[in-house]
Amino acid sequence: MKGVVLVAALVLFVGCGAPDTVDSARPLPDAHPGEQVTLFTDDDVGEDLYRFGISAAFPLPDGTVLMSYDLAAESAGDETPRRPRLAVLAADGVLQPVERPQVNGVEVSDVAILLAVGPDGTAYFSDRAEHGGRLVARSPDDRWRVVPAQLTTDFAGPSTAAVGPGGQLYIEDDVGLHLVNADGSLDTVVRIDGLTGSEDPGAPPLPAGQPPVPAQDVVLSDLKGLAVGPDGTVVASTRHEIVAIDQAGTLAVVTTMADLQTDLGIVSTLDPPFLWSWLAIDADGSLLVSDSYQQLVADLDGPTVVVRNAVVVSNGLDASQSPHHDLLLRVLDPDALEAGPQLPDRLAAFGR
């Protein structure tokens, strides 16, 4: 069964469903402002699992959700073979599995990472089944193609991506954050010098009081979060800071991680203090920062904590792209950092 969570009350309202067709998929229920609606849990999988995790989820234009989940989610020292799944989630728990086909003669790997979904429902994946990896896209009508972008992925590979309101794809690789053009060519938005070992910490922090400068003159450390605002402003977070890059290519420091935690009243156990800082855009266009260690989602307008014991389920989420303007959350075990068994993830919609 599913649940509706409002403050401390739990009201059961949705039953499990068997896989169905996309044509019969119905929009997921709307969450009222401040309400948290459970959409998907391990109870809804319908097959044996060893461990359960939700790796990514994005709203689709028809009110359903494209979701990547794992029936053997990895943990430290765990050698259990992974069983990733990709599916469209609709109302009543209806799951429509999404098959990974061959694209240009090479099958899309089971462990291809769902990176981002655009306003039209186009989904982008990092597929590293072949040497060097590749970027593939799935259109709303389930047609797949290779995006001919020549990314530099010798070290970490593309781990952070976001799509702008006009469908512009931004993606990070080892050397920069890039705008991917229609022909696959790359326009570098800002350079990156990332961590490649204990003796190479990457680019140093930017000064907190640094005035706006051309982004081309700046080098950032590895990106942790990425989002694109409704006006096309690209916002990126690193270990040290959150920056905004406008359409003219001007970079400004939004806040440092140390200042943000002070403003939120967080006492960090890390030195220097930082958040893992996945980024999302709220339905009103404001910037949200999310951290799995602190288990929170915060609105930079304030700043103020929006919800605890949960994180945005994907980098680059834009709640305004959801028909309900709901924010998709991965609900976490509040005792996740303690020793012992952990509660599995839950996927929820949070009304905004």
Side-chain angles (χ1 to χ4, degrees):
M1 298 293 287
K2 302 288 196 299
V4 177
V5 182
L6 176 54
V7 189
L10 180 64
V11 181
L12 298 181
F13 79 107
V14 178
C16 299
D20 205 338
T21 64
V22 173
D23 292 339
S24 64
R26 295 187 294 111
L28 290 161
D30 186 14
H32 300 297
E35 182 184 44
Q36 188 170 294
V37 178
T38 299
L39 302 177
F40 189 75
T41 75
D42 59 324
D43 291 333
D44 303 311
V45 171
E47 55 182 302
D48 293 336
L49 54 90
Y50 176 75
R51 187 178 288 111
F52 177 77
I54 298 170
S55 52
F58 291 92
L60 295 176
D62 63 359
T64 61
V65 168
L66 180 63
M67 178 179 61
S68 174
Y69 62 99
D70 196 335
L71 305 187
E74 294 176 302
S75 61
D78 181 16
E79 297 181 356
T80 304
R82 293 189 60 190
R83 293 188 291 153
R85 299 288 189 268
L86 183 68
V88 173
L89 175 66
D92 301 324
V94 173
L95 274 181
Q96 171 61 39
V98 175
E99 301 298 330
R100 294 175 170 88
Q102 284 195 355
V103 183
N104 290 8
V106 178
E107 186 172 348
V108 177
S109 168
D110 283 346
V111 293
I113 299 170
L114 174 57
L115 296 175
V117 174
D120 68 345
T122 298
Y124 297 92
F125 299 80
S126 173
D127 182 19
R128 306 195 68 177
E130 61 177 19
H131 179 70
R134 60 180 180 171
L135 186 64
V136 296
R138 173 187 181 265
S139 64
D141 61 359
D142 201 32
R143 296 187 181 186
W144 294 71
R145 61 185 172 87
V146 172
V147 180
Q150 297 300 310
L151 299 169
T152 302
T153 58
D154 295 330
F155 181 59
S159 57
T160 308
V163 181
Q168 313 93 326
L169 175 64
Y170 294 87
I171 190 167
E172 170 204 18
D173 68 4
D174 294 350
V175 297
L177 171 64
H178 313 286
L179 169 64
V180 181
N181 296 310
D183 62 357
S185 62
L186 304 176
D187 292 336
T188 300
V189 178
V190 63
R191 290 175 293 155
I192 292 172
D193 180 11
L195 175 70
T196 57
S198 59
E199 297 181 357
D200 182 8
L206 299 178
Q210 176 176 290
V213 294
Q216 297 296 323
D217 296 342
V218 176
V219 180
L220 299 177
S221 59
D222 276 333
L223 299 192
K224 305 296 183 183
L226 186 66
V228 186
D231 63 351
T233 296
V234 177
V235 188
S237 63
T238 74
R239 181 184 180 92
H240 313 293
E241 64 267 316
I242 299 175
V243 302
I245 305 169
D246 65 19
Q247 292 292 279
T250 300
L251 180 145
V253 176
V254 176
T255 185
T256 67
M257 288 303 168
D259 287 344
L260 176 58
Q261 290 184 87
T262 298
D263 292 341
L264 291 174
I266 294 173
V267 178
S268 177
T269 59
L270 303 171
D271 186 21
F274 77 101
L275 299 173
W276 291 111
S277 59
W278 279 17
L279 300 180
I281 301 297
D282 211 345
D284 63 0
S286 60
L287 179 66
L288 300 174
V289 180
S290 187
D291 174 56
S292 58
Y293 185 81
Q294 299 286 351
Q295 291 199 354
L296 58 79
V297 180
D299 191 332
L300 263 289
D301 187 10
T304 183
V305 174
V306 173
V307 63
R308 294 188 182 274
N309 302 132
V311 293
V312 292
V313 75
S314 298
N315 242 325
L317 277 175
D318 188 337
S320 69
Q321 295 177 10
S322 166
H324 303 312
H325 290 180
D326 291 343
L327 184 66
L328 293 177
L329 300 179
R330 183 161 57 95
V331 182
L332 306 174
D333 181 353
D335 299 319
L337 298 180
E338 304 294 330
Q342 296 181 9
L343 297 173
D345 295 345
R346 288 185 289 130
L347 179 67
F350 186 71
R352 302 300 291 153

